[in-house]
Amino acid sequence: RRCRVGAARSDAEAGGIPSNAGAEAAERKIAAAFSRRNLGLALSAGGLVLHGRPPLAWGEEAQEGEAGVAAPSSALASTQEATAGDAGAATSAGQAFFEDFKTSAPVPTDWYEFEDLYDDYFVLTPPEWTQVTTAGADMCYRNIENVEQNMFVNLSSKSFSKFTSLAQDFGTPQECGEVYLQKYLGEFMSTRIGIRREGKVLAASERVNSDDSGRQFYDLLINITSYAARNQYGITSGERVQEKEWDRYFLTTIGIQGERLFELRLQCAEEDYKKDRETLLAILHSFALQANSDFPEAQKELRGRKKFQSIIGSAPI
């Protein structure tokens, strides 16, 4: 800019124009050029183009009829079309997945009945699922044939929880799904560098269990995906490329009994859900918030014993 001002002053003085007037004319010309140039600047923030007009070169004039902000360039237009196409494809893919939480397959007769006589809940488990000890959950089972599949029961406190109804405490099933999505994302927060967790509620529905005195349940299907960078300490973003680490489905049902909230959560890999859907839903639908009364003669003997299980229709183990 100083070079151009100096040149303008020399030209002005050679032409007999006073130096100050020449400098002012040069300043106005340069300011006009900068103004036209800045109108077309393409600002970038993490690859997001905000203005599509490339900068004007020195001496380049704006096109005739060009107003304020130039029209997007063809490159930006194609980028916008591609982004819109990806969004449309993602929407179509999301709409293609539908879960109504219904199953017609009968429960196999070799499944086990798990009862908690102290907290009064009941659930059926397949024979290949075995009980494991874990912190924080009232009960936990894992599929020994597929270790990525597990389930556990969470209970709210007897002393401090005051739940009245699902609709009053959580709203609609969709609103409840969003609450549990944020809860699960909080549980999976990581202190590792370069970790990103994304989640969405795939389905949410209300169900009434006729085998549990018409008790109301909310069934939720939530998907959480984790992305991680192999080189966590890379300097540039190109050195910290994130790849999919794991992709899980969370099949959850919640209900209320005695002002306490009961949650049964089943977890599996995304690719296993459709294959094992009938089994997972059978477990989910068997969840009842009362101890089974099929063995009243055993309850006196088991007084003080928290849990027991048995094969369907047989004596307790």
Side-chain angles (χ1 to χ4, degrees):
R1 181 174 174 179
R2 287 196 297 271
C3 293
R4 283 185 171 273
V5 172
R9 285 177 175 172
S10 300
D11 294 341
E13 291 171 356
I17 304 175
S19 297
N20 289 341
E24 291 174 0
E27 291 281 356
R28 287 194 299 271
K29 184 176 181 180
I30 292 170
F34 267 106
S35 178
R36 291 197 306 273
R37 183 171 183 267
N38 288 340
L39 283 176
L41 283 178
L43 302 179
S44 175
L48 175 64
V49 177
L50 303 181
H51 300 281
R53 179 70 158 83
L56 289 173
W58 281 108
E60 180 184 355
E61 297 294 336
Q63 297 295 328
E64 184 178 356
E66 183 179 19
V69 179
S73 64
S74 58
L76 176 64
S78 60
T79 302
Q80 290 173 338
E81 291 174 1
T83 304
D86 293 342
T91 303
S92 300
Q95 292 175 350
F97 182 88
F98 176 75
E99 177 58 81
D100 57 2
F101 300 102
K102 295 180 180 178
T103 178
S104 57
V107 177
T109 57
D110 62 342
W111 281 25
Y112 286 90
E113 297 174 323
F114 177 89
E115 296 187 76
D116 188 323
L117 299 178
Y118 180 76
D119 292 308
D120 286 335
Y121 67 85
F122 169 89
V123 67
L124 294 176
T125 61
E128 64 272 14
W129 290 56
T130 184
Q131 189 172 4
V132 295
T133 302
T134 182
D138 190 71
M139 173 272 281
C140 183
Y141 272 76
R142 175 167 292 156
N143 186 351
I144 60 176
E145 297 180 358
N146 186 348
V147 294
E148 291 193 12
Q149 295 184 4
N150 59 76
M151 70 170 178
F152 58 86
V153 173
N154 271 332
L155 312 175
S156 64
S157 169
K158 278 187 174 183
S159 303
F160 299 103
S161 62
K162 299 294 180 183
F163 292 92
T164 54
S165 69
L166 295 177
Q168 183 173 340
D169 294 315
F170 293 98
T172 65
Q174 290 72 24
E175 292 171 340
C176 180
E178 293 297 332
V179 170
Y180 270 82
L181 172 60
Q182 297 306 317
K183 177 179 182 290
Y184 293 170
L185 287 174
E187 291 179 5
F188 283 97
M189 288 181 64
S190 176
T191 57
R192 290 186 294 156
I193 300 174
I195 299 296
R196 187 176 86 255
R197 301 276 161 76
E198 296 179 353
K200 55 188 174 182
V201 180
L202 298 179
S205 176
E206 178 183 350
R207 172 174 56 91
V208 174
N209 190 348
S210 57
D211 296 331
D212 191 8
S213 305
R215 195 181 305 277
Q216 181 190 40
F217 288 88
Y218 278 178
D219 297 334
L220 312 172
L221 181 61
I222 296 174
N223 174 221
I224 295 180
T225 307
S226 176
Y227 298 90
R230 293 179 181 271
N231 183 10
Q232 300 179 6
Y233 298 99
I235 298 175
T236 65
S237 58
E239 296 174 338
R240 301 190 304 272
V241 178
Q242 291 182 326
E243 301 175 353
K244 184 184 290 187
E245 188 177 29
W246 48 259
D247 195 355
R248 294 180 188 169
Y249 275 15
F250 298 85
L251 185 61
T252 300
T253 187
I254 61 172
I256 295 175
Q257 175 186 243
E259 297 185 336
R260 301 179 70 191
L261 182 67
F262 290 69
E263 173 197 356
L264 171 67
R265 186 195 311 182
L266 296 107
Q267 304 182 41
C268 70
E270 182 270 340
E271 61 270 15
D272 291 338
Y273 181 75
K274 291 183 179 178
K275 174 173 61 73
D276 298 327
R277 175 183 177 275
E278 295 292 330
T279 298
L280 297 174
L281 285 178
I283 298 174
L284 188 83
H285 292 163
S286 70
F287 189 55
L289 303 186
Q290 60 182 9
N292 199 327
S293 58
D294 290 344
F295 316 109
E297 68 282 356
Q299 292 189 15
K300 185 176 296 185
E301 300 176 6
L302 293 171
R303 184 174 300 278
R305 183 178 177 184
K306 181 175 173 61
K307 302 168 183 174
F308 72 100
Q309 66 177 13
S310 64
I311 298 177
I312 295 177
S314 66
I317 296 175

